[in-house]
C-alpha cells in the first residue's frame, strides 16, 4: 500500500518520503505498549512475561527525524526505518517494573500458550456467567494483540541515522520519559504511592 501510494505521489510530482517508526513511547503516549505500566501496578507485577522483541523509540526523537526528513534528500519516496533500541519484551517489562516499583515477570511465557489463552478468553467474552472462567483477562490481550506483541519486531535505522542525523536513545531513558509524562498527566499514581498500592496496613491497637 505504501509503495502504491508513493508511486501515485511521484506521478503527480509531489515530493514525499516514507517514515516507518517502530514501537513508540513518549509524551501523550497512554495507549498501546504504555498500558503495561498500569497493568504492572494493578497486578503488582503478576502478569505474563512477554516473548518476542521490538525496537523501542522515543516520540521526540521521531519528531526530530520527521523534521529533518522534510529538508533532506530529493523527496522522491525515500524510505526511512526508524528503529530505536532493540530489546526483548521481557527486558522492557523489567525496566517498567523497576520504574513503578513492582515485581517483574521472571521469564517469558511461551508464545503458543499466550495465544491459546487469548483465544480461550475471547470465546468466553460474551458467554454470560462463563466469563468468570477467563484466565488473567486484564493482562492477556486479544488474539490479534498477542500475535502482534509477541513477534520479533527488531529493526535497524542505519539509513535514518546517516541521512537524518537520527539518534535513538537508550531503552531505560525512553521508558523513564514516558513514565514521567504519564505521572504528570495523572494517568499513573505518583511514585510514592506505588509501594503502598498492594500493601495491607495493620490495624491500630486501641
Amino acid at each position: 500500500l505504501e509503495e502504491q501510494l508513493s508511486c501515485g505521489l511521484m506521478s503527480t510530482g509531489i515530493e514525499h518520503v516514507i517514515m516507518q517508526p517502530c514501537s513508540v513511547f513518549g509524551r501523550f503516549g497512554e495507549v498501546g505498549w504504555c498500558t503495561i505500566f498500569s497493568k504492572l501496578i494493578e497486578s503488582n507485577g503478576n502478569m505474563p512475561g512477554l516473548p518476542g522483541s521490538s525496537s523501542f523509540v522515543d516520540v521526540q526523537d521521531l519528531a526530530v527525524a520527521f523534521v529533518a526528513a522534510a529538508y533532506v534528500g530529493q523527496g522522491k519516496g525515500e524510505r526511512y526505518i526508524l528503529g530505536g533500541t532493540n530489546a526483548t519484551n521481557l527486558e522492557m517489562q523489567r525496566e517498567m517494573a523497576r520504574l513503578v516499583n513492582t515485581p517483574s515477570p521472571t521469564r517469558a511465557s511461551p508464545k503458543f500458550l499466550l495465544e491459546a489463552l487469548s483465544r480461550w478468553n475471547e470465546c468466553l467474552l460474551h458467554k454470560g456467567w462463563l466469563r468468570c472462567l477467563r484466565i488473567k483477562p486484564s493482562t492477556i490481550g486479544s488474539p490479534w494483540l498477542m500475535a502482534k506483541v509477541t513477534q520479533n519486531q527488531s529493526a535497524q535505522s542505519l539509513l535514518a541515522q546517516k541521512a537524518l542525523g537520527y539518534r535513538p536513545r537508550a531503552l531505560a531513558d525512553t521508558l523513564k520519559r514516558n513514565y514521567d509524562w504519564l505521572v504528570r498527566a495523572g494517568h499513573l499514581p505518583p511514585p510514592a504511592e506505588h509501594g503502598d498500592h498492594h500493601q495491607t496496613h495493620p490495624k491500630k491497637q486501641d
Side-chain angles (χ1 to χ4, degrees):
L1 179 60
E2 292 169 350
E3 292 180 355
Q4 293 175 356
L5 180 59
S6 179
C7 289
L9 291 172
M10 290 181 66
S11 66
T12 62
I14 298 176
E15 296 183 354
H16 66 284
V17 296
I18 299 172
M19 310 292 280
Q20 296 179 298
C22 297
S23 302
V24 183
F25 285 88
R27 292 183 63 191
F28 307 107
E30 58 189 84
V31 296
W33 291 102
C34 310
T35 60
I36 295 178
F37 282 116
S38 60
K39 292 184 184 300
L40 283 165
I41 294 173
E42 292 163 3
S43 67
N44 195 31
N46 185 20
M47 66 178 298
L50 294 175
S53 61
S54 193
S55 197
F56 302 101
V57 188
D58 186 282
V59 68
Q60 289 184 273
D61 296 334
L62 289 183
V64 172
F66 271 61
V67 172
Y71 295 95
V72 173
Q74 301 179 9
K76 294 184 177 179
E78 296 94 333
R79 183 190 303 270
Y80 299 105
I81 296 174
L82 298 168
T85 298
N86 291 327
T88 66
N89 294 335
L90 186 61
E91 288 172 325
M92 172 200 64
Q93 285 178 288
R94 286 173 174 168
E95 181 60 25
M96 290 174 133
R98 186 188 69 80
L99 289 169
V100 298
N101 193 29
T102 68
S104 66
T106 57
R107 61 181 179 177
S109 301
K111 177 180 172 70
F112 78 89
L113 177 60
L114 292 179
E115 291 181 341
L117 290 174
S118 68
R119 288 193 293 270
W120 168 262
N121 290 345
E122 188 89 348
C123 289
L124 298 179
L125 183 60
H126 303 292
K127 299 297 183 181
W129 66 270
L130 291 176
R131 293 181 61 189
C132 66
L133 299 178
R134 292 181 299 161
I135 300 172
K136 291 186 177 293
S138 62
T139 55
I140 297 178
S142 67
W144 177 88
L145 182 61
M146 286 294 98
K148 176 70 174 174
V149 302
T150 57
Q151 294 175 354
N152 180 358
Q153 302 180 78
S154 299
Q156 299 296 329
S157 56
L158 298 180
L159 179 59
Q161 292 182 44
K162 181 179 180 180
L164 307 179
Y166 172 60
R167 295 293 181 267
R169 68 187 68 221
L171 175 62
D173 189 18
T174 297
L175 295 177
K176 178 67 163 58
R177 285 159 59 85
N178 191 185
Y179 166 75
D180 288 344
W181 180 83
L182 288 167
V183 171
R184 289 196 304 270
H187 299 295
L188 291 178
E193 298 179 15
H194 295 162
D196 299 331
H197 190 75
H198 293 278
Q199 293 180 3
T200 56
H201 299 279
K203 294 181 179 179
K204 292 182 178 180
Q205 298 294 324
D206 294 332

